[in-house]
Amino acid sequence: MTPPFRESPTLLLPPTPAGIARAAELLRAGELVAFPTETVYGLGADATSGEAVARIYAAKERPRFNPLIAHYPDRDSAARDGRFDDAAERLARAFWPGPLTLVVPKSAGCAISDLAGAGLDSVALRVPSHPLARALLAETGRPVAAPSANRSGRVSPTCAAHVLADLDGRIAAVLDGGTTDVGVESTIVSCVGARPALLRPGGVTRETIAAVLGFAIDEPRSADTAAPVAPGQLASHYAPRARVRLNANAIAPGEAALLFGAPLPGTEQAAAHVNLSESGDLGQAAARLFASLRALDRPGIACIAVAPVPGVGLGEAINDRLKRAAAPRPQGTPEQ
Ligand code: TXA
Ligand code: MG
């Protein structure tokens, strides 16, 4: 049987003008290229080509067609594919380029393929701040659809080695930009209803969004949920193989410990331990979160015990990802 993805060696492209040019050429030819953003590595495909986008689902073994985020080098190119109301305009001006995704109604001439948009009449637009991402997007000259570059059911990748661990042989190339800065995915805000709604906490905090808007931003209210499903609707996500135990106040013998701040009692008998941030810095903890889960998720470790992390600022996105990592995983649960 022919596998639904290409099985040839994946190129590791350097972060040079030649590497960027090759990556852009592959994307324009309908191939898959993983690239760094400031949040996590994305698995890119030409968003205007249904065929290219279909390869993303095959390579990730994503069991369901979820709408994807389209990436752009700047606000003006993003604005061609969507209609921005006043709130979207202000958020774009304040946070782009940066870790914010805006869901807005499609424009009349929207170039995004129906498959990338899952047939919705809204689109998710993002202008990342990572210089390599921006150079690649500018050179590609079309919107690039990109979910996180992990195999379905795995933790999002924050370096090229994580991408290769999941997708080597299934994608044409990885553009190597080292380790990502933010470490958790973009914040997703929907600007399709009367009031902007927070669909996913992420790299831009709820507090800074409220400061720009001049009012608090909430999750969508049920009345508004003619609006599409948000990523957060999937309870199990970002899942390591080991069980994850949250809000631990002590480590049991044989457990792995994911710490934040001072070590917990029992850490000395842990099978392994990693501290997200000894000084209790939430930015540092977000940046280290996914790599730490990968590091602790190894054979012989049945349970990762996680210290409490405060839920403010970036802590909201960290706790959201940890909660999903800890959620029960029914067989065949769709993943991002
Ligand atoms: O930081 C990030 O956002 C990363 C990097 C690579 O940019 N990307 C990422 O993509 O996290 P992904 O596919 O893992 O998450 C995108 C989520 C989807 O799960 C989907 O629910 C939501 O965005 N989404 C996309 N289009 C949408 C739409 N029209 N309405 C509501 N949600 C949408
Ligand atoms: Mg993902």
Side-chain angles (χ1 to χ4, degrees), residues 37 39-42 62 66-69 71 101 103 120 122-124 126 146-148 185-186 188 199-200 228-231 336:
T37 78
T39 58
V40 300
Y41 275 67
R62 192 159 160 160
N66 260 351
L68 300 174
I69 298 172
H71 295 66
T101 295
V103 173
L120 298 170
S122 60
V123 281
R126 164 148 147 73
S148 47
E185 295 84 349
S186 61
I188 305 181
L199 299 188
R200 176 176 76 182
V229 198
Q336 300 300 302

Side-chain angles (χ1 to χ4, degrees), residues 5-12 26 31-35 42-44 55-56 58-60 149-150 160 163-164 166-175:
F5 42 81
R6 74 185 264 142
E7 271 208 86
S8 54
T10 296
L11 294 170
L12 187 62
L26 287 164
E31 299 282 354
L32 299 182
V33 177
F35 63 97
L43 179 56
R55 295 200 174 107
I56 289 180
K60 283 181 67 105
N150 50 283
V163 176
L164 289 173
D166 279 10
L167 299 172
D168 194 10
R170 298 179 169 215
I171 64 177
V174 186
L175 186 58

